[in-house]
Amino acid sequence: MANGWQPDFEPLIDEHQAMVFSLALRMTGDYGLAEEIAQDVFLELDRNLRRMESPLHALLWLRRVTMSRSADALRRRRVRGIDQWVEIDETHGAQTEERPSPLGDRVERLLATLPEAQRAALVLRYQEDLAPEEIAAVLSAPVATVKSHLQRGLKLLRAKAAIHLKEYVRGA
Amino acid sequence: MDDCEREPGDCERELDDFAGELYSAMQRRPAPPGLKRKVMGRRAAAHRRQVRALWMERIAASLILAAAAGGAALWHHEAEQRRGEEAKQKVFTALRIADRALEQMNAQLAEHNRDSQ
């Protein structure tokens, strides 16, 4: 560690577990899988702890690795032929406690029906409040592509919300 | 997919409103209650596995070293034995040669004695 920052593993879990879990959950749409991904990401962080140079570096690393591991998990699931849930009224074993709001819950279900790249861009934009340039860095994609995914994803999600979430969406 | 086919301004405003709603709908969710405990448990298990693997490596290395040392000692012992055997054979050969020379000398002496009588 060049700057002398001594990362402690447990406080890093405390600080970032909600972010890591939420990213994985919104990318995979599966509570159990998201928890498994979050565990794997933290264990990977533990193996790479010496490389972390600052709290910001750890945060950026966690975001990038979580998105990458979520994409891997989705790819593995596609290979095994398991589809993501797409019916918004269906319950898929997600634990019902600790849901922030009915809208949040249903938005998560709608998100899962979007193409993966658009979903990734939207999750980073609206959950993590990142600018397109920062999203591009996390996803290793060109900024123009990210902007396009954001625009298309937002329109698509809005269109789906207009059908399924009429009570929450103005103008629907 | 764009369902907004009214005034373009309305459409943008609605999208902006929707984006605003998304920020509040997509707050981070709390992690499952046991997440940290499970991570720490898996970390401890991985550490135990690592320690066990390290010990297994050490034991395997020790066994290999012991086997190599034993083999070397055995080889050294056999080489010594072989060298001893070779030396013994050389001594026997030398003795046989000496014996034959003495016999020849004896025969010559006996012949010489017979001639002188």
Side-chain angles (χ1 to χ4, degrees):
Chain A
M1 285 157 289
N3 62 354
W5 182 56
Q6 302 279 332
D8 276 335
F9 186 54
E10 287 195 53
L12 282 173
I13 301 180
D14 291 332
E15 192 179 344
H16 298 300
Q17 58 180 345
M19 176 200 70
V20 170
F21 173 71
S22 301
L23 285 177
L25 178 63
R26 286 176 176 141
M27 283 306 294
T28 62
D30 184 320
Y31 195 94
L33 182 59
E35 186 176 357
E36 204 176 299
I37 291 169
Q39 288 178 27
D40 291 344
V41 168
F42 281 116
L43 289 173
E44 200 170 333
L45 173 70
D46 182 39
R47 288 193 293 274
N48 289 281
L49 209 54
R50 285 165 173 271
R51 290 195 206 155
M52 297 300 137
E53 292 166 4
S54 65
L56 179 63
H57 184 207
L59 168 70
L60 297 178
W61 187 94
L62 281 169
R63 257 189 208 136
R64 193 170 45 76
V65 173
T66 305
M67 295 305 284
S68 165
R69 296 297 165 269
S70 300
D72 292 345
L74 289 173
R75 205 170 303 123
R76 275 197 303 275
R77 201 156 63 169
R78 271 198 299 273
V79 170
R80 288 187 206 140
I82 306 167
D83 285 331
Q84 284 172 261
W85 36 262
V86 290
E87 296 295 329
I88 67 157
D89 292 330
E90 207 177 319
T91 307
H92 284 261
Q95 293 168 19
T96 48
E97 74 266 14
E98 312 210 26
R99 282 182 177 159
S101 68
L103 176 62
D105 184 39
R106 297 176 79 176
V107 163
E108 274 170 19
R109 290 169 180 237
L110 281 181
L111 261 178
T113 65
L114 296 187
E116 190 183 319
Q118 293 177 9
R119 186 163 67 243
L122 287 179
V123 168
L124 289 170
R125 178 83 183 103
Y126 295 103
Q127 181 192 300
E128 295 300 308
D129 200 12
L130 298 187
E133 292 74 16
E134 294 169 307
I135 297 172
V138 173
L139 299 176
S140 304
V143 178
T145 308
V146 168
K147 283 181 178 171
S148 161
H149 286 324
L150 280 172
Q151 204 172 18
R152 285 163 190 258
L154 188 61
K155 280 185 181 175
L156 184 55
L157 190 64
R158 169 71 176 70
K160 285 171 183 272
I163 298 167
H164 296 289
L165 307 176
K166 280 180 189 158
E167 68 269 35
Y168 298 108
V169 178
R170 255 181 287 169
Chain B
M1 279 295 182
D2 190 353
D3 67 330
C4 197
E5 290 170 352
R6 298 178 299 269
E7 293 292 314
D10 287 350
C11 182
E12 278 173 26
R13 203 167 35 252
E14 281 172 19
L15 265 184
D16 285 347
D17 289 347
F18 182 63
E21 286 167 17
L22 271 186
Y23 277 116
S24 55
M26 287 179 64
Q27 297 287 316
R28 287 177 184 170
R29 298 243 316 230
L35 180 67
K36 183 179 170 186
R37 185 178 41 78
K38 287 176 188 169
V39 171
M40 297 310 287
R42 283 180 63 184
R43 185 197 197 207
H47 181 68
R48 278 196 298 275
R49 270 197 306 277
Q50 236 174 4
V51 169
R52 203 177 309 137
L54 195 67
W55 273 108
M56 293 304 281
E57 272 175 29
R58 283 180 185 166
I59 290 169
S62 305
L63 287 176
I64 290 169
L65 273 179
L74 190 68
W75 179 83
H76 187 254
H77 176 70
E78 281 182 358
E80 285 284 299
Q81 251 185 345
R82 206 168 39 244
R83 270 200 297 274
E85 197 63 36
E86 281 170 8
K88 200 165 79 180
Q89 292 304 323
K90 279 180 189 168
V91 170
F92 283 157
T93 307
L95 285 174
R96 271 196 299 275
I97 292 168
D99 185 46
R100 202 170 301 147
L102 282 172
E103 277 176 11
Q104 280 176 357
M105 209 176 289
N106 256 345
Q108 280 173 359
L109 279 172
E111 198 176 332
H112 185 262
N113 283 343
R114 251 194 327 269
D115 290 348
S116 59
Q117 282 171 0

